[in-house]
Amino acid sequence: MNLGVVAMVGLKDTSKMKSRTRKVGAALTAVAAVAGGMVFAAAPATAVAAGSNFSVEYTASYYKGTATFSNRTVDVKGSFKATGCRRVYARAFAGSTTLDFKSTSTWCNTSGPANFSLDANVAGGADNIWVYMTDENQKILDGQTCYRSGSCVDGLR
């Protein structure tokens, strides 16, 4: 008989608990929604830095474009014009450590887009890149070093 009383009290407590659980659950959902909104709003501002505009020119040949740094990649997008035979390269660094390295094939008397996506799979990503041009014998003709801050300077570092 005592079990019936306990069960009855248990049922009364269960309905109160369900009501409290619903209220607490609704409050937690509201807090999570606000917190989630703040996280999503903040992520893009820190994920991608402004683009760095580069211009590598040698006689009538050029490679001009933009390097966009993000947390784990650097996207290099540019227009390449080869007068004679030329090749362009992009190399990503974290400090002085090479993270990734890509190049076009050798282009002779042609032009078009030359785009690279460089891996920078370290905490914080790459902080600088080299963009440079060589002749068909791999002799460096001109280059720029571009930084995450948005600036590029002539020459290789």
Side-chain angles (χ1 to χ4, degrees), residues 17-153:
M17 289 298 287
K18 284 182 182 177
S19 176
R20 287 184 189 141
T21 302
R22 286 185 189 129
K23 288 179 185 175
V24 170
L28 289 174
T29 301
V31 169
V34 170
M38 289 189 319
V39 169
F40 292 124
T46 59
V48 178
S52 301
N53 296 320
F54 61 85
S55 181
V56 176
E57 300 178 49
Y58 184 80
T59 62
S61 298
Y62 63 81
Y63 182 45
K64 298 179 182 184
T66 303
T68 304
F69 292 78
S70 59
N71 285 339
R72 299 290 177 169
T73 61
V74 181
D75 290 322
V76 181
K77 295 184 179 186
S79 297
F80 180 29
K81 178 183 177 192
T83 302
C85 293
R86 307 283 186 253
R87 188 173 187 164
V88 292
Y89 296 79
R91 186 181 299 232
F93 292 88
S96 61
T97 302
T98 298
L99 301 175
D100 197 11
F101 173 75
K102 295 196 174 139
S103 72
T104 64
S105 58
T106 301
W107 294 20
C108 297
N109 300 313
T110 191
S111 63
N115 302 322
F116 306 103
S117 183
L118 301 171
D119 291 329
N121 200 14
V122 297
D127 57 15
N128 71 92
I129 64 166
W130 292 348
V131 181
Y132 58 99
M133 182 186 308
T134 67
D135 64 12
E136 67 273 16
N137 298 314
Q138 307 304 306
K139 177 185 172 196
I140 295 175
L141 303 173
D142 191 28
Q144 286 197 315
T145 301
C146 298
Y147 298 93
R148 180 179 276 276
S149 64
S151 64
C152 294
V153 295

